Amino acid sequence: MSSFYKKSIRDWMDAQWPNGAYTETAIWLDLNDYAGFGKGAGETVWATAPPILTVRHMQHYGDLDFLKESLHHHIRWFGFLTRNFESGMKDKGFDIELKNYTGGGSGLGDWLCLPERDLFLTHTAFYMASGRCIAYTAKQLGVTGLYHRSLELANRIKARISKIYLKNGFDDFDFPKGTAS
């Protein structure tokens, strides 16, 4: 299985756009570009698969060489998200405080949920996951500065999620304004 995971991740790295964006699929099939933040950029959930799979591969197989090989690609993806996430979400109709948001929007989410899918949360959580993956990889490779910067940004994203969704500060996770129907 190690070879399968590495090949899949390498296919994504080979398909990575010059702007740092990962495609939704490797090879790029122009399936859901509307859900990404730029030409060829995959939707945040699917395009975050390479850094997540790399971390899982490391946790299962202990392959530091593959971490080294893939890190610069994942940094480019995270940089793409950092540069484009806020404006991309705004272009998709998500305002910064999610006033009157009760789910929906552009992107992928839980396909089997009964209420409206919360796509803002899905995009934002996988943006946070990208930062955590970079931090994990940097820590494993002893790149201390990158570890701290990535973890700090991931924690800021986490704090934003908490501020918007945890109305009483700790346990009432729901759509920011209104209710899921």
Side-chain angles (χ1 to χ4, degrees):
M1 286 305 294
S2 173
S3 295
F4 171 77
Y5 280 108
K6 286 166 65 170
K7 187 214 181 299
S8 298
I9 296 163
R10 284 181 178 132
D11 286 347
W12 251 299
M13 293 186 312
D14 289 345
Q16 191 172 29
W17 293 91
N19 64 5
Y22 277 126
T23 59
E24 181 171 332
T25 56
I27 57 171
W28 180 62
L29 299 174
D30 194 14
L31 294 175
N32 289 307
D33 275 9
Y34 71 90
F37 302 133
K39 178 68 177 152
E43 191 274 336
T44 311
V45 176
W46 285 99
T48 300
I52 291 173
L53 290 175
T54 300
V55 166
R56 295 295 179 239
H57 183 269
M58 172 59 194
Q59 291 169 339
H60 193 74
Y61 298 104
D63 190 344
L64 286 172
D65 290 334
F66 191 63
L67 282 184
K68 290 175 193 171
E69 175 187 336
S70 61
L71 179 59
H72 75 279
H73 289 279
H74 303 333
I75 290 170
R76 289 179 53 225
W77 165 242
F78 192 53
F80 172 83
L81 282 176
T82 301
R83 289 186 309 276
N84 295 286
F85 190 82
E86 295 301 326
S87 62
M89 292 298 279
K90 187 175 183 179
D91 290 348
K92 294 183 179 312
F94 297 105
D95 70 81
I96 194 145
E97 295 298 323
L98 297 182
K99 294 179 182 159
N100 302 313
Y101 178 67
T102 57
S106 176
L108 301 173
D110 183 352
W111 295 347
L112 299 175
C113 67
L114 296 176
E116 186 69 38
R117 298 176 300 158
D118 188 348
L119 299 174
F120 178 86
L121 179 61
T122 305
H123 279 291
T124 307
F126 277 85
Y127 177 26
M128 178 182 67
S130 291
R132 287 180 171 178
C133 289
I134 299 296
Y136 173 88
T137 301
K139 185 173 185 178
Q140 296 301 310
L141 297 176
V143 186
T144 308
L146 178 60
Y147 164 76
H148 289 294
R149 287 189 309 275
S150 301
L151 190 59
E152 178 184 336
L153 182 51
N155 286 336
R156 285 198 318 253
I157 297 166
K158 177 184 172 185
R160 180 177 182 198
I161 292 170
S162 296
K163 178 183 176 221
I164 291 174
Y165 285 87
L166 300 177
K167 294 180 182 79
N168 65 9
F170 59 90
D171 68 357
D172 187 20
F173 195 86
D174 197 2
F175 288 107
K177 304 286 184 187
T179 60
S181 50

